[in-house]
Amino acid sequence: MLNPRMTWFAALAALFWLVAAATAHATVVPAPSAPTACAITAGVIATCYDLDVSCEQIPARRVRIRQLDVAADVPVAGNVLFTTGNTGASVYGAPTAPERIATVMFMHDHGYRTFEVAWLGEEGWQTGAHGVGRRRATCAYAEVVKYLATPLPSGGGKMPEHTLGGLRGQNIRAQGNSGGSAQIAYGLTAYNLEAYLSVAVFSAGPPISDLTSTCFGTLYDRDTNPAGIGV
């Protein structure tokens, strides 16, 4: 007769290996299109480039990075990644969001290299991920962070301007609003981003958690918004 404890142990071990197998083959590769100059605001020109991200057996999703480096004579204080809400399909400092452009420029003016992450599919980071769950769907953001944070391989590889310079765990910061904060949160809880990020800042989220109960408990009017979403 099988020992029940051994049976549960075997089941958990099998689940672990299934999860490991699903996440072990993540890849991030530069898209065929060449990097281009792209303006953040008048007189401020960044570099835009696309990456194709495959993970959790989800079809490859394309993401655009808008990277603004500091001047050559300015010491680099750190790196900041910005992600937007909903499905993350726009750059953080969009023309319709002057306050966010101001945030990007504030960090830039204080010596931070900025990386704005925008997903290009019809449904942003959720493109092609229906039915897999939010945790697996957000694997792509985590892989982008790891790709940018990995040092350049010896003998060449990624273009230097496309990497955070190997500052693994050394002042790589991430800020996400609403759905953008969910990408970061899942990266921290499921994809080991704590080994890469020194600071994570959430705003208006993560929206898929019951924030109102956490913050206000019984003071929150559940009859008005029972799911705790959109507040």
Side-chain angles (χ1 to χ4, degrees):
M1 182 175 177
L2 292 175
N3 185 320
R5 291 185 178 180
M6 293 300 295
T7 303
W8 276 106
F9 177 82
L12 289 172
L15 178 61
F16 171 81
W17 287 113
L18 284 173
V19 172
T23 58
H25 301 292
T27 60
V28 180
V29 296
S33 55
T36 60
C38 48
I40 292 182
T41 187
V44 180
I45 306 300
T47 301
C48 287
Y49 51 94
D50 298 344
L51 305 171
D52 289 331
V53 188
S54 299
C55 56
E56 292 282 14
Q57 300 178 328
I58 300 170
R61 289 167 281 177
R62 183 160 293 182
V63 64
R64 177 159 296 162
I65 309 296
R66 186 165 75 174
Q67 176 173 332
L68 180 62
D69 285 310
V70 298
D73 59 345
V74 175
V76 176
N79 309 272
V80 185
L81 295 96
F82 293 102
T83 57
T84 58
N86 203 345
T87 59
S90 64
V91 291
Y92 184 86
T96 56
E99 72 285 354
R100 293 183 181 177
I101 295 177
T103 299
V104 173
M105 294 310 303
F106 178 87
M107 297 306 293
H108 172 264
D109 293 343
H110 284 77
Y112 284 83
R113 303 165 73 203
T114 63
F115 299 77
E116 298 170 78
V117 180
W119 298 96
L120 301 183
E122 291 184 1
E123 297 177 277
W125 55 267
Q126 297 180 17
T127 301
H130 291 288
V132 305
R134 289 192 176 95
R135 179 190 64 79
R136 291 178 63 191
T138 56
C139 67
Y141 174 81
E143 295 306 325
V144 167
V145 174
K146 294 174 184 179
Y147 173 87
L148 292 173
T150 301
L152 290 173
S154 59
K158 294 176 296 181
M159 295 175 62
E161 63 268 30
H162 291 188
T163 175
L164 294 178
L167 298 176
R168 180 176 173 134
Q170 299 178 27
N171 211 15
I172 301 174
R173 305 179 176 214
Q175 196 281 332
N177 185 66
S178 190
S181 68
Q183 294 181 65
I184 301 171
Y186 274 115
L188 291 169
T189 58
Y191 295 104
N192 196 38
L193 282 192
E194 70 276 10
Y196 295 81
L197 299 178
S198 57
V199 176
V201 179
F202 302 154
S203 59
I208 49 181
S209 60
D210 195 354
L211 294 174
T212 49
S213 290
T214 301
C215 296
F216 304 111
T218 58
L219 296 178
Y220 179 61
D221 183 3
R222 292 183 175 276
D223 293 330
T224 302
N225 194 348
I229 297 176
V231 175

